[in-house]
Amino acid sequence: MKQLVAFDLDGTLAESKQPLQPAMGEALADLLVVAHVAVISGGDWPQFEKQVASRLPARADRSRLWLMPTTGTKLYRYGGSWTPVYAELFDDAQKQAIFAAFDAALAATGFVPEQVWGERIEDRGSQITFSALGQQAPLDAKEHWDPDFAKRKVIQADLRMRLPGLSINIGGATSIDITRAGVDKAYGLKKLRDASGIALDAMMFIGDAIFPGGNDYPAKELGLDTVRVRDPQDTLSVIATIVACQK
């Protein structure tokens, strides 16, 4: 029996940057009856609020929910309202170095899309995120740009040469996330262990990018039981199975 089930967000619980569908909100409410639930992803708090916090049914036990934006460098808990527990932020010099490295890496690798929707590089305080097609790109365009991660692996390799002291991971449909050295989902899950008092071997992790270079893979390297899913529909089946087994 697992005490806590942790999830990636985009591609796992919801389509990229889209709110949870009603069926997923209900499934998470069911899961919260039998276990604590954590969501750890690269998005910042406004994205979590839009996609998850505001989409849960009234019956969901929010006191057992742990929301971890920006790869776990922030933690939010519910106590009548959602409030931050901690936030680990880049300083201005670090941010400028990352922005410059992105510019150089994109120029060197030559991945320039024909059309961009909104800003491509977002400062999330504790994480800098590159979205290849822009922050407001439509889902269909994002799904077709780099479905096999090949383009982003080239950009990722270039960035790792330019920013050797930082963690650089592929996430979402078109994004690359940069955090402090050693910060990845394994780091976030260890922070969750410390905050919750729940041991790592009492947790499991579910995500769509559990492969080398994927931003969910550190959870597997940490030794957690993991389940790789294809999409949110697949996740619904996994949650139903967990709820049945936990009961």
Side-chain angles (χ1 to χ4, degrees), residues 56-76:
L56 296 169
R59 68 184 179 90
D61 185 356
R62 290 161 176 79
S63 70
R64 305 182 85 186
L65 184 59
W66 306 76
L67 298 183
M68 306 188 77
T70 54
T71 319
T73 55
K74 298 179 182 179
L75 171 64
Y76 282 74

Side-chain angles (χ1 to χ4, degrees), residues 4-86:
L4 185 147
V5 183
F7 295 88
D8 169 53
L9 179 49
D10 285 351
T12 300
L13 291 176
E15 300 296 346
S16 180
K17 295 194 175 180
Q18 302 304 304
L20 298 184
Q21 291 297 307
M24 186 64 76
E26 295 294 340
L28 290 177
D30 291 341
L31 184 57
L32 284 163
V33 174
V34 299
H36 287 255
V37 171
V39 182
I40 177 170
S41 188
D44 205 351
W45 172 250
Q47 200 67 34
F48 268 69
E49 187 171 38
K50 169 191 168 185
Q51 289 185 260
V52 181
S54 65
R55 304 293 293 185
L56 296 169
R59 68 184 179 90
D61 185 356
R62 290 161 176 79
S63 70
R64 305 182 85 186
L65 184 59
W66 306 76
L67 298 183
M68 306 188 77
T70 54
T71 319
T73 55
K74 298 179 182 179
L75 171 64
Y76 282 74
R77 298 298 316 283
Y78 188 81
S81 63
W82 289 100
T83 57
V85 177
Y86 65 77

Side-chain angles (χ1 to χ4, degrees), residues 47-170:
Q47 200 67 34
F48 268 69
E49 187 171 38
K50 169 191 168 185
Q51 289 185 260
V52 181
S54 65
R55 304 293 293 185
L56 296 169
R59 68 184 179 90
D61 185 356
R62 290 161 176 79
S63 70
R64 305 182 85 186
L65 184 59
W66 306 76
L67 298 183
M68 306 188 77
T70 54
T71 319
T73 55
K74 298 179 182 179
L75 171 64
Y76 282 74
R77 298 298 316 283
Y78 188 81
S81 63
W82 289 100
T83 57
V85 177
Y86 65 77
E88 303 171 351
L89 307 178
F90 280 123
D91 62 36
D92 288 342
Q94 290 171 317
K95 291 178 183 179
Q96 293 306 314
I98 293 168
F99 296 152
F102 265 124
D103 289 341
L106 294 173
T109 56
F111 287 112
V112 180
E114 294 181 2
Q115 186 173 0
V116 173
W117 293 264
E119 294 295 324
R120 298 179 76 192
I121 299 176
E122 182 183 5
D123 177 0
R124 297 177 177 174
S126 55
Q127 177 175 294
I128 308 299
T129 294
F130 165 73
S131 297
L133 303 183
Q135 296 293 327
Q136 284 78 51
L139 183 59
D140 182 66
K142 292 199 291 185
E143 287 179 341
H144 288 89
W145 186 73
D146 189 29
D148 60 356
F149 306 93
K151 295 176 183 176
R152 280 175 292 165
K153 285 180 179 179
V154 173
I155 300 170
Q156 179 189 45
D158 187 276
L159 284 167
R160 283 178 169 167
M161 290 189 295
R162 299 177 192 277
L163 299 168
L166 297 177
S167 289
I168 302 163
N169 289 292
I170 294 170

